[in-house]
Amino acid sequence: GSSDALRKPPSRFSAMLLLSALLGLARPAAKQRLAGLFSASEDPVLACPRDGSALFPERAIYGRTRREARVSAGGVRYPVADGEYVDLLASSGRGDGDGITPGRLAEEVREAFATRTQTQMFRTPVLGFLYERGWRQQFRAAGFPGIEKEYDEVSAFFEPVAAQGRGVVVDMSCGSGLMYRRLLAGRIGGSGRTLACDYSEVMLRETRRRALEQGLAPAALELLRCDVAQLPMRDGAVDAMHAGAALHSWPNLEKGLSEIRRVLRPDGGRFFATTFLRGAYPGTTSATPGQSGGGGGSFRFFESEEELRQLLIAAGFPPDGVSVRREGRGCAIVKAVLGGAAAGGGSIAAAAAPRAAVAGVAAAGMVAAAAAPPSTAAAARPPSASAAASPAPLSASGGA
């Protein structure tokens, strides 16, 4: 009878029909979620380092576990490591069927060996611990003025960005965040974004730890792991970029400078860098052209100010917008401006005095202020009005 029919277990065919019906009902919701992912939330600054396509935020919650990522329009997913930094190395992206292959593994091992001095040493926890405990201070012997005087000159040079009230400032090769924390506390980008970029996971974690210890708002921190020779940023999206004690440690310097030129705003984008000239320390010599520097990629000590100037011009910076000067025995101060205005020379000491009082007030009053949270990614590299400035030495890691 009917009661027996009710007690009979459903057939395999019936179960399949029920499952199909449930999947059919779920499809619209899944489509809505997908449409929401690729709607109005693309990042106006960041882009996929592989193809330059837009990046979008992705957040998922599994029980008490929250996972975040940045996903490109092409479906490549870049992880947010432990909620601390976004890993935007091209090799860190994963797409459908994009697992680790023996060929890719061999390529990464070869790259790591070839750049073991320039990039891999900065990934060691020991150097992360020592960087502000004596490592950076020894640069004074080469002529580096010290972080406070360097910040004064950087902030004066980036003044047009601060004046516009909202900009993107990037600290490339941020190291332990020595300059990044000052740029963020001083609100050099106004109400815009201040990004810290480095190749080293250790340095990015140290940057975050020190920034929070200093009292900077967690929501204001934007930390990116990336390679300066393959920047995950849109064309013309950055207003100002700083690279402190970094150029000498980039394995592919020429490509890195070209990438910086690409991402800077064409009508006034600014680049400030410090690095080493030959003679900075007794016995230092320049590496071979092209930053190959045998023996695992030794650091590059530049022959002269003119060599650095020509490297920037070859990367696309206008000749009248580039200036390089020597400080002390072997510190080079590099300034470059796109779109006309000359970079200007001046000494750090001269720039420091008028800025010190203003910078101190800004840093004291705005440390706890939160920057607008990052949106995430960008369209396929069309020019943008936004920009970022940030810091640190390596293939994308290094100094500050």
Side-chain angles (χ1 to χ4, degrees), residues 238-240 264-271 317 336-339:
V238 175
D239 291 293
L264 283 175
R265 185 162 54 85
D267 56 340
R270 291 173 171 250
F271 177 53
F317 287 89
V337 181
L338 293 178

Side-chain angles (χ1 to χ4, degrees), residues 59-393:
R59 296 179 179 86
I61 298 176
Y62 304 94
R64 296 183 179 180
T65 303
R66 177 175 175 170
R67 294 181 181 174
E68 293 186 63
R70 299 295 181 267
V71 184
S72 76
V76 180
R77 182 172 283 96
Y78 296 92
V80 176
D82 302 320
E84 296 179 327
Y85 62 86
V86 185
D87 194 337
L88 288 175
L89 281 184
S91 59
S92 297
R94 293 290 177 266
D96 295 336
D98 203 17
I100 291 290
T101 64
R104 173 177 290 181
L105 182 60
E107 180 182 348
E108 292 186 9
V109 170
R110 282 194 299 271
E111 180 182 351
F113 184 78
T115 62
R116 61 187 181 275
T117 300
Q118 293 159 309
T119 63
Q120 302 308 313
M121 69 176 290
F122 291 100
R123 300 176 70 185
T124 62
V126 172
L127 189 52
F129 177 81
L130 292 176
Y131 195 79
E132 292 188 36
R133 295 177 174 89
W135 179 278
R136 183 57 159 83
Q137 288 79 354
Q138 69 177 331
F139 293 178
R140 282 183 176 273
F144 280 71
I147 190 61
E148 297 304 338
K149 289 182 179 178
E150 290 170 45
Y151 170 72
D152 285 336
E153 184 166 8
V154 169
S155 59
F157 184 58
F158 289 173
E159 181 63 35
V161 178
Q164 74 183 30
R166 182 174 181 82
V168 179
V169 177
V170 173
D171 187 14
M172 189 68 238
S173 292
C174 61
S176 61
L178 202 58
M179 183 65 77
Y180 176 69
R181 301 194 303 272
R182 288 164 174 78
L183 292 171
L184 189 58
R187 309 292 282 180
I188 298 302
S191 61
R193 297 165 67 175
T194 306
L195 291 76
C197 302
D198 208 283
Y199 187 86
S200 167
E201 313 93 314
V202 169
M203 289 299 188
L204 289 169
R205 291 192 174 101
E206 183 70 3
T207 294
R208 179 178 175 81
R209 185 189 71 77
R210 286 180 174 273
L212 295 177
E213 190 177 74
Q214 184 175 315
L216 294 170
L221 305 181
E222 249 190 289
L223 311 180
L224 309 176
R225 186 181 183 218
C226 63
D227 186 342
V228 69
Q230 200 169 13
L231 288 175
M233 299 169 193
R234 297 174 64 170
D235 293 359
V238 175
D239 291 293
M241 183 176 293
H242 167 263
L247 274 62
H248 56 280
S249 61
W250 292 348
N252 194 342
L253 174 66
E254 289 78 3
K255 184 65 166 65
L257 291 174
S258 294
E259 278 288 272
I260 291 169
R261 166 64 181 83
R262 176 184 66 79
V263 305
L264 283 175
R265 185 162 54 85
D267 56 340
R270 291 173 171 250
F271 177 53
F272 186 106
T274 55
T275 189
F276 291 95
L277 293 167
R278 187 173 182 177
Y281 298 106
T284 54
T285 60
S286 60
T288 56
Q291 192 71 351
S292 58
S298 57
F299 295 125
R300 180 173 182 172
F301 287 76
F302 298 94
E303 291 286 351
S304 65
E305 298 92 319
E306 184 60 21
E307 180 190 7
L308 280 163
R309 184 172 176 274
Q310 291 302 322
L311 282 167
L312 267 76
I313 293 173
F317 287 89
D320 62 348
V322 178
S323 75
V324 184
R325 76 173 191 276
R326 179 187 293 262
E327 289 281 335
R329 291 174 56 176
C331 171
I333 308 293
V334 180
K335 297 181 183 179
V337 181
L338 293 178
S347 74
I348 287 185
R355 292 289 301 175
V358 177
V361 172
M366 301 176 116
V367 163
S375 41
T376 40
R381 298 190 187 245
S384 161
S386 301
S390 176

Side-chain angles (χ1 to χ4, degrees), residues 38-55:
F38 296 103
S39 57
S41 59
E42 68 178 55
D43 194 297
V45 176
L46 303 180
C48 175
R50 294 187 182 184
D51 60 16
S53 63
L55 285 179

